[in-house]
Amino acid sequence: MAKAPTKKPSTASKGQPLTLPRKLVAGIQTVDLSTNRGIDIPLPDAAPFYFNTDISSIRSLSDAYSAMRALVKVSGDVSMAVTSYIRLANTDIKFKVYDASHQLSDNGTMVLKSFLASLQYLNDYTYGYDDRIPMVGLSEISLFEIMVTGACSMELVLDKARMPFRLQPVSPSKLKWRIGAVDTGNGVNHKIIPWQQLQGQTVILDVPTFFSARLDQDVTLTYPKPPLESALNAAVFSAEVMQDIRRAVRRSGHSRLLVTLNTEQLVKAAPLDVRGDSSKMQEWMESVRLSLEQQIAGLNPESGLVVFDTVQAAYLNSEIGSSADYSPFMDVVDGQTATALRTPPSILGKRMGGSQNISSAESLLFIKHVEGIRKPVESMLSRALTLAIRLLGFEGYVTATYDPVNLRPPDELEAFKQMKQARVLELLSLGFLTDQEAAEELGTGMRAPGAPPLSGTMFYGQSAASMDPAAVANGGDPAKRALTGDAPKKAGGKSQ
């Protein structure tokens, strides 16, 4: 009887061999405002003060990064758009840890959770004030940098034992890029590497602990560009229009008190020694006018005005508001600004016309834009945390994913969650999901120790026909009632 051939293990399932960095340096490698300033030296407030800043001065700024940061402080439309993007995009982040065989790993999850907990809670209190940034803050900073620079950067800082200690965000606007040499053995002999120069110090960031990711990268450009760069002209023009309207209102937008001096009656009331001298008469009439002007300028709104018959008082009514209408012109300007900011006018506080279907389509497109700015942050966090768990002794990798953006209230989402639970449990019962994958999908965390395996056991007896078609959101029409109450009529549970 012939002997069956021995099956060799597949190298494809294991992937390429893992090679950790040969040289790691403790401490922060990137430079910031505190670099080379010494101990006990007060740090300056580097944020410009934009109060009473002329909007036209932004046009003279040298780069798009500075212009975007200035407009976030000066322009209400840009500030509202950037804030809305960040608040909607900064949902909870789910992390999944896979081992070398690309399967979810409970051991790797525990290693990652330990590191994330160390970012939130200090273990060695001899360190003093904990200046590390937790994951929520890192996400918010990275999303803001995406909006104003088009990229995000981060450094994995190591402690004295060369173990992960903190995640330090770095502004891409402070990075420069150069071509560096590399020997990969496959014909590639160069790569683009980042470097910094600040406070007289130059640091080459060709280190494995530095990470960067970009949004909508143009392959013809080396440096990232802000996604809202097209809004620079539109936002500045809109602000200039508002400044012109404000000047017009201040000049003639309100009714004014007009006081007329009767010259003939005033001459008759002049003293006798003044009437025969024209120069004295002119000086006396000017003194009367100045005295009356000072008295009227000091009047309060509730004060009365008592004058002789040589003075006539009346109101000079403003024409603005009765004949000057800026609404059609401002609608055009607001529309251009909203388009350049890729933000629906309603979010910017603009009340423009449109049907409900148009508003639903705008909301759907806006959510897609919001979800798009999170991709570079997810990629950067995945790579940084992957290196962190590998340095902590686990051979695997991490994926970071934001929770979906949803404009519905949490209570209304309960029915949708029950539908998802029914689908996940059915896939688990059929063996299409492992126990770990089902736990991650349901957001329950790791299963309790000693829990029996459920994958492929056919424990879930619900049939596909029991799902109510009416429970599908909007009846299958994605453009219909996107933001109204369309919760499922049935939860899709096993008893329904």
Side-chain angles (χ1 to χ4, degrees), residues 255-384:
S255 298
R256 299 177 182 233
L257 181 63
L258 176 64
V259 178
T260 304
L261 293 174
N262 191 323
T263 306
E264 182 179 356
Q265 297 293 334
L266 194 61
V267 171
K268 292 181 180 179
L272 294 176
D273 58 337
V274 175
R275 296 179 185 178
D277 192 336
S278 60
S279 60
K280 291 183 178 181
M281 176 62 72
Q282 185 176 0
E283 293 178 359
W284 182 79
M285 293 180 66
E286 181 65 19
S287 65
V288 172
R289 188 191 66 81
L290 292 176
S291 176
L292 183 61
E293 181 181 358
Q294 292 176 358
Q295 293 181 7
I296 293 177
L299 289 176
N300 294 322
E302 69 276 6
S303 301
L305 181 63
V306 180
V307 296
F308 294 101
D309 58 358
T310 57
V311 178
Q312 296 179 358
Y315 272 109
L316 180 63
N317 293 324
S318 171
E319 296 296 330
I320 295 182
S322 58
S323 60
D325 186 8
Y326 296 100
S327 298
F329 177 63
M330 289 305 301
D331 287 343
V332 176
V333 175
D334 292 340
Q336 291 179 345
T337 303
T339 301
L341 292 173
R342 307 175 189 177
T343 307
S346 58
I347 292 181
L348 300 177
K350 316 293 184 181
R351 297 296 180 261
M352 304 179 68
S355 63
Q356 184 176 1
N357 287 338
I358 294 178
S359 299
S360 300
E362 288 179 346
S363 301
L364 181 61
L365 290 175
F366 180 62
I367 290 177
K368 294 298 182 182
H369 283 303
V370 171
E371 292 176 343
I373 69 171
R374 307 189 301 187
K375 300 301 181 182
V377 183
E378 293 174 345
S379 174
M380 180 185 65
L381 289 176
S382 298
R383 290 185 290 162

Side-chain angles (χ1 to χ4, degrees), residues 219-230:
V219 295
T220 63
L221 301 176
T222 304
Y223 289 82
K225 297 300 179 182
L228 302 182
E229 187 176 9
S230 60

Side-chain angles (χ1 to χ4, degrees), residues 123-150:
N123 294 325
D124 184 7
Y125 287 96
T126 60
Y127 181 77
Y129 169 71
D130 190 2
D131 61 340
R132 298 174 305 164
I133 304 175
M135 184 56 63
V136 176
L138 292 170
S139 174
E140 185 174 348
I141 293 174
S142 301
L143 291 172
F144 178 78
E145 291 297 327
I146 287 287
M147 296 303 300
V148 298
T149 66

